[in-house]
Amino acid sequence: MTAVVDPEPAKAAPGVDRGLLGAGFRGPTFGIVTVVTLLAFENMAVGTVMPLIAGDLDGLALYAWGFSSTLITSLLSIVLAGGWVDRSGPGRPFMIGLGTFVAGLALSGAAPSMWLFVAGRAVQGFGSGIALVALYVMIARVYPEELRPRVFGALSAAWVLPSLIGPAVGGVVAEHAGWRWVFLGLIPLVVPPVLLLVPALRGTGLAGGGAAVPGRSRYLAAITVSAGAGIFLYGLDRPGWTMAAAAAAGLAGLAYGLPKLLPAGTLRFRRGLPSVVLVRGLLAGAFFGTGVFIPLALTRLHGFSAAQAGIVLTVGSLGWSASAQLQSRSKRPRTFFVQLGAVLVTAGIVLSVGALQFSGWLTAPAWVIGGAGMGFAISSLSVLLLDLSPAGEQGVNSSALQISDTLGSSLVVGVAGALVAGFGAARLGTGLAVAGALFAAIAALGVITALRLEART
């Protein structure tokens, strides 16, 4: 991939269709949406069947690791992909990332033990992290600025079909054919998006003027942060001095590496781009952390089947898709939608956690509020990030956004998993309530940070 292209496509001649399905955009749009649909289906189905997997492989103690391992390895690959994509263009990284994701699906589906299942999930995360960074940069290189909100709205819409059938189909497949086919059955679905995207990827080379090559310190920081997160989460599962030592070592690794991977001032709540990145991590951690434990609560506390638990997750994703479409066609500032979304995410988490203490089905309308908040906020944060990023830094900044997203999710899920495990199966309801309070507090911090998206002039 040596071609040099302008990251902003030229203005179309009068009368040329500049919509997402217009001349020059139809192939990339179908391809990108298909890839996100595939990843969304995997995400929705896995969340639904994880309680069955933990039971079959006797792995309740590693329940949270089924999610955290994916997030930790994607954190490492996201950093590696950021500079790689800026240097070579998104084509080759995307293909390698998607191939690695498929290898992880195969390993997870064939795993005879919970540890090997977790390893397969880790491989999936490594591949998906590379592919997602490549997709973000591809959007920046292919679509003009005025179409980007609609692109990210289309990506959220790509969750509609997986949201409608993913949890239910995943539950039915797991109950009747076996949970392994939830992973193995996805592998053939990789072929269509690859065929659709190959022509589009040939036209996305380097950004005009090239890109800076990341220094060795950035790669060292990526390894340190990933190792630090893993050690910290490992320590949470160990009692006594082992927990304290591992937690301290993990936090030291995070403290060393994160300032080198995120925009300057992110950890100090600096206005502008740093707050865009930080809000993404806070909201992702709170929302996805809650979503990880909803199926566990529904199946263990309220006697839901996997398919029934999937229906509850479905309504949240439908709210996400609907609100993402609303924001994509609105002329309001992106900051308005981020702030509105942060408030709705917080309200949705509080209501969902409260509902789980009384009735499983009451969780569904509460969760749709949280999903709507994510639809408003996440797409708008993606647009803000690209708007604030110079052409040669789109990959690195997209990487930072994904780092915040994945690290926030992995740490929050891991801490919550340790809390729930600490209370034990006999007091599962109490443990989930405490974890829910943690999720709500993190979302509330996201509301405060969302007020700092605009730099002072």
Side-chain angles (χ1 to χ4, degrees):
M1 298 286 181
T2 58
V4 177
V5 299
D6 188 342
E8 295 290 343
K11 297 290 185 180
V16 174
D17 183 2
R18 295 290 282 174
L20 295 184
L21 299 181
F25 300 131
R26 187 177 298 111
T29 298
F30 278 121
I32 291 171
V33 169
T34 304
V35 169
V36 173
T37 299
L38 171 63
L39 297 178
F41 186 94
E42 187 267 349
N43 182 279
M44 295 297 297
V46 169
T48 302
V49 304
M50 190 64 78
L52 296 179
I53 297 170
D56 185 43
L57 298 179
D58 192 24
L60 183 59
L62 296 174
Y63 183 87
W65 278 100
F67 300 93
S68 295
S69 63
T70 303
L71 298 171
I72 290 171
T73 54
S74 66
L75 172 66
L76 176 61
S77 66
I78 283 166
V79 177
L80 299 177
W84 183 15
V85 171
D86 279 336
R87 293 195 307 275
S88 67
R92 185 175 300 171
F94 173 78
M95 291 298 184
I96 292 176
L98 200 58
T100 304
F101 174 77
V102 168
L105 288 175
L107 180 56
S108 295
S113 68
M114 192 65 177
W115 274 112
L116 285 176
F117 173 79
V118 169
R121 293 283 290 159
V123 174
Q124 287 177 242
F126 194 85
S128 63
I130 297 173
L132 285 174
V133 171
L135 279 181
Y136 266 63
V137 176
M138 185 168 148
I139 290 170
R141 305 275 172 90
V142 171
Y143 298 92
E145 184 175 343
E146 65 269 17
L147 285 183
R148 289 176 187 168
R150 295 180 62 184
V151 177
F152 287 110
L155 296 189
S156 293
W159 283 75
V160 171
L161 183 60
S163 299
L164 285 171
I165 68 172
V169 170
V172 170
V173 169
E175 290 174 358
H176 296 283
W179 60 263
R180 298 181 187 280
W181 288 102
V182 173
F183 299 91
L184 300 176
L186 289 175
I187 294 176
L189 300 180
V190 172
V191 176
V194 168
L195 296 178
L196 286 168
L197 280 172
V198 165
L201 289 169
R202 288 173 180 159
T204 55
L206 298 176
V213 178
R216 183 177 301 174
S217 63
R218 181 172 174 82
Y219 295 126
L220 177 61
I223 295 171
T224 303
V225 167
S226 299
I231 293 170
F232 176 77
L233 294 176
Y234 174 82
L236 293 179
D237 295 329
R238 298 295 181 274
W241 289 107
T242 301
M243 174 186 289
L251 290 175
L254 294 172
Y256 169 81
L258 279 178
K260 297 177 173 59
L261 301 179
L262 302 178
T266 299
L267 302 180
R268 299 193 301 274
F269 297 82
R270 182 177 294 175
R271 290 180 176 272
L273 180 62
S275 286
V276 169
V277 172
L278 184 57
V279 170
R280 177 67 169 257
L282 293 171
L283 295 185
F287 181 82
F288 292 121
T290 306
V292 162
F293 290 96
I294 283 178
L296 182 64
L298 293 175
T299 55
R300 297 294 179 92
L301 299 181
H302 299 288
F304 277 40
S305 68
Q308 289 172 327
I311 294 174
V312 175
L313 294 183
T314 291
V315 296
S317 295
L318 291 176
W320 184 324
S321 299
S323 61
Q325 288 302 303
L326 288 175
Q327 65 81 33
S328 72
R329 299 181 181 279
S330 173
K331 300 300 183 182
R332 283 182 176 271
R334 298 297 103 191
T335 52
F336 167 82
F337 287 111
V338 175
Q339 292 159 3
L340 172 62
V343 171
L344 291 177
V345 168
T346 305
I349 290 172
V350 171
L351 293 173
S352 297
V353 172
L356 284 171
Q357 301 300 313
F358 302 101
S359 168
W361 288 115
L362 287 178
T363 309
W367 195 232
V368 76
I369 296 173
M374 290 295 281
F376 283 129
I378 297 302
S379 296
S380 297
L381 286 167
S382 299
V383 173
L384 284 172
L385 178 107
L386 292 180
D387 289 347
L388 294 171
S389 300
E393 298 177 9
Q394 290 163 344
V396 170
N397 287 343
S398 294
S399 170
L401 191 71
Q402 297 295 328
I403 289 168
S404 181
D405 190 328
T406 56
L407 183 62
S409 298
S410 62
L411 292 180
V412 171
V413 169
V415 172
L419 288 172
V420 172
F423 280 94
R427 302 174 63 194
L428 181 60
T430 302
L432 290 171
V434 174
L438 171 66
F439 300 142
I442 293 171
L445 184 59
V447 174
I448 297 171
T449 310
L451 300 176
R452 303 178 60 82
L453 298 178
E454 295 180 338
R456 284 199 177 101
T457 56

